[in-house]
Amino acid sequence: MKLWEYSGKNVRITLKDGSVFEGRAYDYTSALDNEPDPESISIGIFELFAPEIEKIELI
């Protein structure tokens, strides 16, 4: 999954626990810049980490 491709786009992100987030994705952070955490992308006030994401789709 290439999170940086979704930055600035309207998306629906489904997490592995079944939670769903919709909105404009922004603030992609690579794993190198987010140490010790993995890469992430934000929607609203939520920072979502790559290992938690089941799927991401454009809306």
Side-chain angles (χ1 to χ4, degrees):
M1 176 174 349
K2 300 175 184 173
L3 290 182
W4 66 87
E5 292 180 348
Y6 296 97
S7 186
K9 298 178 179 160
N10 290 322
V11 297
R12 177 181 298 119
I13 297 177
T14 305
L15 300 183
K16 291 179 180 176
D17 71 0
S19 301
V20 177
F21 296 84
E22 290 184 358
R24 182 167 298 276
Y26 70 96
D27 198 23
Y28 167 77
T29 307
S30 72
L32 292 174
D33 293 332
N34 213 17
E35 212 172 308
D37 294 321
E39 68 178 328
S40 68
I41 198 161
S42 296
I43 292 182
I45 62 169
F46 301 99
E47 181 180 15
L48 306 172
F49 298 102
E52 300 172 334
I53 297 173
E54 178 72 30
K55 68 178 177 177
I56 184 168
E57 53 197 324
L58 296 174
I59 56 173

